Amino acid sequence: MTQTEQNRAENNISGMRVDAFIRNDQFNFIKNQAKILVHGKAASNDREIVEVLRHLAQEKVFGLFPTVTEAQASLLGELKDIADQAQADAYLEQLEPYLLPFKQVAPAELKRLFPKAKKLKGPKLESLDFKRTSYLGWIESSNLMCVVTEQNGQLYGIHGIFTRSSKQGICSICNRHSEVGMFIAKTKGSIQDHFIKRGNYICQDSETCNEHIDTLERLAEFVGRLQK
């Protein structure tokens, strides 16, 4: 069995097989909408208000998937039926087999991405849940942090100086209030042999960050600034 076949969710919805089609950030977005529905139902007995919340949640979620099959639409449409936390948990568990994993990466691939790091330790790959990953990030040494992102099926590595902050702040990747640090990387300037330092605050714990990411836009913006 190939890696692609191993990553494929071979499940049936209404008699039709559906492959994995939900990214980690999209799953987190759906999870947030489920939370809104649960809180809305608990806070209001007004049926019209609850119906509006359900309609908005479903509209926002379907907006994440411009093209879906009938079976995928059926699965996503079940979101509107959530009325309490137990149903929300069950629904999210039902979605897990349909999560697209982050591109598989081996230690040799990491060394290729960071050729200047002669003794690269890398993250503990065996402990990572790649289905719940939008990017890889780890502290390589006392003040060196490495970040790996996926763009158009290709892996890209960025390393920079990471300084932990003593105060909580807003992460520029997940946009959540958390324990952050300043990530600064050197980028080539317009003048030969001239480098510019660019960076921003990001989560100290990348796994926590991955649990909060509900869009890839901010991650792309963060990486884009460092690649200029």
Side-chain angles (χ1 to χ4, degrees):
M1 181 180 290
T2 66
Q3 187 64 54
T4 300
E5 290 171 334
Q6 290 176 353
N7 291 337
R8 184 174 295 142
E10 297 182 343
N11 298 277
N12 291 285
I13 302 176
S14 301
M16 294 177 284
R17 196 184 80 174
V18 179
D19 291 340
F21 69 105
I22 305 172
R23 298 191 310 261
N24 173 60
D25 63 293
Q26 294 169 327
F27 177 80
N28 290 335
F29 186 92
I30 295 171
K31 181 171 63 175
N32 290 337
Q33 293 304 309
K35 184 183 298 184
I36 290 174
L37 292 181
V38 171
H39 290 172
K41 186 70 168 64
S44 176
N45 292 321
D46 191 318
R47 185 174 180 178
E48 291 187 5
I49 292 178
V50 174
E51 286 301 316
V52 168
L53 290 176
R54 287 177 174 172
H55 174 76
L56 289 175
Q58 183 167 313
E59 184 177 30
K60 290 177 181 178
V61 167
F62 272 88
L64 300 177
F65 305 91
T67 57
V68 291
T69 65
E70 181 181 347
Q72 290 169 346
S74 176
L75 178 65
L76 296 174
E78 293 179 24
L79 172 71
K80 68 180 184 301
D81 299 325
I82 292 176
D84 55 41
Q85 190 59 53
Q87 290 182 349
D89 293 340
Y91 177 65
L92 294 173
E93 184 176 353
Q94 182 183 350
L95 294 183
E96 289 183 4
Y98 305 97
L99 295 183
L100 289 166
F102 186 81
K103 185 177 178 65
Q104 292 293 314
V105 56
E109 176 73 1
L110 292 178
K111 290 181 180 179
R112 185 190 67 80
L113 294 174
F114 302 98
K116 293 183 180 180
K118 296 181 179 180
K119 295 183 179 180
L120 188 74
K121 294 182 297 184
K124 295 181 179 179
L125 297 174
E126 67 280 0
S127 66
L128 295 178
D129 182 356
F130 283 88
K131 287 187 176 183
R132 300 292 284 115
T133 299
S134 294
Y135 76 96
L136 298 179
W138 70 94
I139 304 296
E140 179 63 23
S141 61
S142 59
N143 64 346
L144 177 64
M145 186 174 195
C146 296
V147 173
V148 175
T149 61
E150 180 182 354
Q151 300 174 32
N152 300 320
Q154 297 295 319
L155 295 175
Y156 295 88
I158 299 173
H159 68 276
I161 301 301
F162 187 76
T163 305
R164 297 176 183 271
S165 174
S166 59
K167 298 180 180 179
Q168 289 195 339
I170 300 296
C171 171
S172 62
I173 294 178
C174 70
N175 201 39
R176 293 294 186 92
H177 196 259
S178 64
E179 294 183 346
V180 297
M182 174 60 74
F183 181 92
I184 299 178
K186 290 182 179 180
T187 59
K188 292 183 179 180
S190 56
I191 303 174
Q192 186 175 2
D193 297 328
H194 178 68
F195 293 87
I196 300 173
K197 291 182 179 180
R198 289 194 175 97
N200 214 325
Y201 285 99
I202 62 175
C203 287
Q204 295 182 20
D205 185 342
S206 63
E207 289 190 41
T208 299
C209 190
N210 274 290
E211 291 175 0
H212 293 157
I213 292 176
D214 60 7
T215 174
L216 294 182
E217 291 182 5
R218 286 183 291 270
L219 176 60
E221 291 173 357
F222 173 79
V223 173
R225 286 195 299 270
L226 301 178
Q227 291 179 334
K228 289 181 179 178

